[in-house]
Amino acid sequence: GGGGGKAGSLKDKLDGNELDLSLCDLSEVPVRELAALPKATVLDLSCNNLISLPSDFCSLMHLVKLDLSKNRLQQLPLDFGRLVNLQHLDLLNNRLVTLPVSFAQLKNLKWLDLKDNPLDPVLAKVAGDCLDEKQCKQAAVRVLQHMKVIQSEQDQERQRKLQAEREMEKKREAEQRAREAQERELRKREKAEEKERRRREYDAQRAAKQEMEKKTKKETVQTRKPASSSRPPQLPRHKHSWSRSVLRVLLLVLLCILCTLAVCKLTELRHQPLCISVNTLYEDVVAAVQNHKALQNLLHQNSQQ
């Protein structure tokens, strides 16, 4: 029949609060039917063919005493610790090597038998033997203590990992912020450089434009009649040409005098009245110059004495 029939048949096996399902050739636990019998706080599943327990087995929180001896269990569910009301647990003669860390939460456990399991050496040593009531009670206390230490270490390790991850995340965020700041700085610099370049171009264009305007103005001034405003700068040139003309006139006069002298000295004209006057004047000048030289020499000698 269906699940209901099974639940009915389980009810038939219920004796007070004890449910005996030993020697039933079970290869799996009828969890749903057991959950429907919260009165069954003592459950015997010994001498069956159980290889594993389903994870929903841990919802049977009403269990106080559980016998799983002489099965083929290789491990217990990870959340086995949910069976917090469990006081007595028999796991004799299975294939268990370790216990789940959640085992540390079975705070009411008073009695435990782990004999005849291929236990991890450390766990085997902690559990010790369970040949009498006292030893089985000691096993429960010591294994619980041991599992609590493991749980604490795992919690610490998890915390360390979490902390490390958080720090890594912080570091990554800081690096990201630094990168973004660097990129912002770079963009800012590039913008500034671009602005500077454009300003230089603008200045160069402006200078070229001004140069062109100056050139054009100069050409215009040269082609037009000199305006009154542009007269002052040309004054030096007029001055210059005027002094050159004076020099030319002086040279010409000098040349005329020399020519006249030459004519009056060397040609037949020297007996003419004009030439006589010229020659006399020339001799007077020469005499005057010589007198002047003689006077200078005399003065020079006097000053030396």
Side-chain angles (χ1 to χ4, degrees), residues 256-274:
C256 288
I257 292 168
L258 284 172
C259 286
T260 309
L261 270 172
V263 165
C264 287
K265 282 274 184 198
L266 303 172
T267 64
E268 293 298 320
L269 292 171
R270 66 177 177 273
H271 300 300
Q272 294 297 320
L274 180 66

Side-chain angles (χ1 to χ4, degrees), residues 102-259:
S102 69
F103 202 92
Q105 290 156 30
L106 301 176
K107 56 180 188 291
N108 291 307
L109 195 66
K110 308 277 190 296
W111 193 100
L112 177 64
D113 189 354
L114 282 169
K115 276 198 312 295
D116 301 334
N117 278 285
L119 293 176
D120 171 78
V122 177
L123 184 57
K125 195 176 176 188
V126 168
D129 233 329
C130 178
L131 299 170
D132 56 36
E133 192 72 11
K134 190 185 175 188
Q135 282 185 341
C136 296
K137 282 183 171 175
Q138 274 179 349
V141 172
R142 284 161 62 172
V143 168
L144 266 183
Q145 194 54 45
H146 175 67
M147 295 315 290
K148 275 180 187 165
V149 168
I150 290 176
Q151 188 180 43
S152 169
E153 282 172 359
Q154 281 194 1
D155 286 350
Q156 280 172 5
E157 185 56 32
R158 219 181 357 260
Q159 281 300 110
R160 261 202 301 275
K161 271 186 186 165
L162 261 173
Q163 189 63 29
E165 277 170 21
R166 267 195 221 113
E167 276 167 16
M168 274 299 290
E169 188 57 35
K170 265 185 199 164
K171 197 178 170 186
R172 270 200 297 272
E173 280 172 10
E175 281 171 2
Q176 180 67 18
R177 278 199 297 276
R179 248 200 316 276
E180 282 169 5
Q182 216 172 355
E183 281 168 11
R184 273 201 302 276
E185 194 56 42
L186 194 68
R187 277 201 298 274
K188 206 170 165 187
R189 208 180 304 143
E190 281 172 358
K191 232 177 182 176
E193 282 171 6
E194 176 63 17
K195 195 173 179 183
E196 184 57 33
R197 189 181 63 74
R198 288 215 310 271
R199 189 180 283 142
R200 277 203 300 270
E201 271 179 19
Y202 172 76
D203 288 348
Q205 283 171 1
R206 201 164 161 208
K209 200 174 173 190
Q210 283 175 346
E211 195 61 38
M212 279 293 291
E213 280 172 4
K214 223 184 265 178
K215 223 176 185 178
T216 314
K217 209 180 263 180
K218 206 184 266 178
E219 282 167 6
T220 312
V221 166
Q222 280 173 355
T223 51
R224 273 211 316 244
K225 227 176 182 180
S228 58
S229 63
S230 61
R231 205 171 281 156
Q234 290 175 337
L235 271 176
R237 217 190 310 176
H238 287 162
K239 229 185 240 177
H240 193 60
S241 58
W242 180 80
S243 60
R244 232 188 295 179
S245 303
V246 169
L247 198 65
R248 276 202 201 114
V249 168
L250 282 171
L251 280 170
L252 203 63
V253 168
L254 197 62
L255 200 62
C256 288
I257 292 168
L258 284 172
C259 286

Side-chain angles (χ1 to χ4, degrees), residues 82-122:
R82 281 175 65 198
L83 302 173
V84 286
N85 293 307
L86 209 55
Q87 294 177 20
H88 186 289
L89 178 60
D90 194 342
L91 290 166
L92 166 84
N93 197 353
N94 275 282
R95 297 178 184 177
L96 297 170
V97 177
T98 58
L99 296 173
V101 180
S102 69
F103 202 92
Q105 290 156 30
L106 301 176
K107 56 180 188 291
N108 291 307
L109 195 66
K110 308 277 190 296
W111 193 100
L112 177 64
D113 189 354
L114 282 169
K115 276 198 312 295
D116 301 334
N117 278 285
L119 293 176
D120 171 78
V122 177

